[in-house]
Amino acid sequence: MALRDELKKRDPFDLIEQEAALSIMRTSDLLENRFARLLREYDLTRSQYNVLRILRGEGRPMPCLEVAQRMIQVAPAITRVVDQLVNAELIVKTQSDSDRRVFLIDLTSRAKRVLKAVDVPLLELHRSLLSGVPKKDLKQVIAILQQIREGVSE
Amino acid sequence: MALRDELKKRDPFDLIEQEAALSIMRTSDLLENRFARLLREYDLTRSQYNVLRILRGEGRPMPCLEVAQRMIQVAPAITRVVDQLVNAELIVKTQSDSDRRVFLIDLTSRAKRVLKAVDVPLLELHRSLLSGVPKKDLKQVIAILQQIREGVSE
DNA sequence: CCCAATTAATTTACATGTCACCTATCGACA
DNA sequence: TGTCGATAGGTGACATGTAAATTAATTGGG
């Protein structure tokens, strides 16, 4: 179904740019929803999972703000997520010796187990959500969206 | 390649499907941010604006839930946004005569003025955000994202 | 005609994101 | 050395989104 039908908009889009933007946001909502639903089964929110995933990818303790930057998030949001994760014993937070402003966070073994349990189902979800789309098209979307992001950041 | 081998490949992305999904969500975040910033100048949030836009598009009083469905939102969220808009005197809410469970909302003349004021800047923002991207590419993105949404909805 | 299922809307609880502002620490430079 | 700007991080207020439970009204089957 075309986006303009989904939204039951009577007039055609004024601009193709507008249709593209709405299309991106609408699709993002759908995807986020699916991922959130899967992660909830593991008692994780998307933010929490992202923090864990970044830490694992980096393989070393990281400052909170460095994690935040990779998540395109503002510092205050990270603070709370970190608190939750510490509370859930999924990360540990220690003050850096070299710079006492910095707090380093690192995965616990429990977190590593959880991540491992989530890996396959999540990968399968990614695969199944986009399975109907040829890889060639996915590559193209990735390239064009990158172009959009570069334009927006300016 | 075996699934477990793919899982070890963390750089840059495990799967093109994953890269595509992350790309869509990141781009959406960026765009939403820009739109939110513009609307804030008119003391509107994105949700509030969407309710007004839908009402204008329909051109008649609508039940709250009908508006919610078009916004892909859950009912409780709408309830609050409606309250805010009533408070700001941008919509009026009246109980339906034919079905007293239903509350109809409709634009005030003030809201129509605000919408009119927002129209051009918003359209310009849409245009400028995606101006760097050829229309051909935008059409392609729209088509592929539509395909993705169809797969996800199943 | 009545009861059960359904539907519109709301309330509550919780997670998240943003902004504005605050604290502590660092580091450079006068 | 002392001050000042920059940086890491945290707090509080507010808006939004979701889920789950609740209320009120409607509707359809027995």
Side-chain angles (χ1 to χ4, degrees):
Chain A
M1 193 191 310
L3 186 58
R4 69 167 62 90
D5 292 330
E6 290 177 13
L7 298 177
K8 288 192 183 153
K9 202 173 176 218
R10 293 201 162 152
D11 306 321
F13 282 87
D14 299 316
L15 280 176
I16 189 157
E17 284 88 350
Q18 188 171 17
E19 182 171 4
L22 289 177
S23 172
I24 292 165
M25 294 188 281
R26 171 89 164 85
T27 309
S28 172
D29 269 359
L30 265 181
L31 294 177
E32 283 180 11
N33 232 297
R34 290 307 183 100
F35 293 129
R37 213 176 299 169
L38 172 65
L39 290 174
R40 199 174 309 129
E41 293 173 24
Y42 298 87
D43 291 319
L44 289 175
T45 64
R46 280 207 341 121
S47 293
Q48 290 170 4
Y49 174 73
N50 279 332
V51 171
L52 300 184
R53 182 179 55 75
I54 287 168
L55 281 174
R56 180 175 62 176
E58 196 66 13
R60 61 170 174 94
M62 292 174 72
C64 295
L65 282 198
E66 207 177 318
V67 175
Q69 280 160 7
R70 300 211 190 166
M71 293 173 65
I72 327 163
Q73 278 193 350
V74 177
I78 281 291
T79 298
R80 266 177 318 205
V81 174
V82 164
D83 283 349
Q84 295 159 9
L85 288 172
V86 168
N87 228 304
E89 298 182 5
L90 291 170
I91 61 175
V92 289
K93 187 166 104 172
T94 54
Q95 196 166 21
S96 165
D97 289 333
S98 56
D99 183 341
R100 281 170 42 195
R101 290 170 304 180
V102 174
F103 285 82
L104 297 168
I105 56 179
D106 197 13
L107 296 177
T108 63
S109 56
R110 186 164 126 68
K112 288 173 193 164
R113 280 200 302 278
V114 172
L115 280 171
K116 215 165 175 179
V118 174
D119 276 339
V120 173
L122 190 62
L123 202 59
E124 281 308 314
L125 181 61
H126 269 110
R127 204 198 299 274
S128 77
L129 283 179
L130 303 184
S131 63
V133 185
K135 285 197 194 303
K136 171 182 71 66
D137 287 349
L138 292 180
K139 281 181 188 155
Q140 196 139 25
V141 162
I142 291 167
I144 299 171
L145 290 182
Q146 183 180 339
Q147 202 180 341
I148 292 175
R149 286 197 303 278
E150 282 164 5
V152 171
S153 312
E154 277 165 10
Chain B
M1 192 188 303
L3 188 57
R4 78 167 61 84
D5 291 332
E6 290 182 7
L7 282 175
K8 286 178 189 164
K9 263 182 37 184
R10 226 165 266 126
D11 260 357
F13 287 97
D14 299 323
L15 280 178
I16 187 146
E17 283 89 350
Q18 188 170 17
E19 182 170 4
L22 290 177
S23 172
I24 292 166
M25 295 188 280
R26 273 182 78 118
T27 310
S28 173
D29 270 359
L30 265 182
L31 293 176
E32 283 179 13
N33 234 298
R34 292 306 183 101
F35 293 129
R37 213 177 300 170
L38 172 65
L39 289 173
R40 200 175 308 130
E41 293 174 24
Y42 298 87
D43 290 319
L44 288 175
T45 64
R46 280 205 345 120
S47 292
Q48 290 170 4
Y49 173 74
N50 279 331
V51 170
L52 300 183
R53 182 178 56 75
I54 288 169
L55 282 174
R56 179 174 63 175
E58 195 67 13
R60 62 170 172 94
M62 290 173 75
C64 295
L65 282 198
E66 206 178 320
V67 175
Q69 280 161 7
R70 298 208 191 171
M71 292 174 62
I72 326 158
Q73 277 194 349
V74 175
I78 281 292
T79 298
R80 266 175 320 204
V81 174
V82 164
D83 283 348
Q84 294 160 8
L85 288 172
V86 167
N87 227 304
E89 297 182 6
L90 291 170
I91 61 175
V92 289
K93 187 167 103 173
T94 55
Q95 195 165 21
S96 165
D97 289 333
S98 56
D99 183 340
R100 284 169 41 193
R101 289 170 306 179
V102 174
F103 285 82
L104 297 168
I105 56 179
D106 198 13
L107 297 177
T108 63
S109 56
R110 186 163 126 66
K112 288 172 191 163
R113 281 200 302 278
V114 172
L115 279 171
K116 215 166 176 177
V118 174
D119 277 339
V120 173
L122 190 62
L123 205 58
E124 280 309 313
L125 180 60
H126 270 109
R127 203 198 302 275
S128 77
L129 282 180
L130 303 185
S131 63
V133 185
K135 285 197 195 307
K136 170 181 70 66
D137 287 347
L138 292 180
K139 279 181 189 154
Q140 197 139 25
V141 162
I142 291 167
I144 298 171
L145 290 182
Q146 181 183 329
Q147 204 180 339
I148 292 176
R149 288 197 303 279
E150 282 164 5
V152 171
S153 311
E154 277 164 10

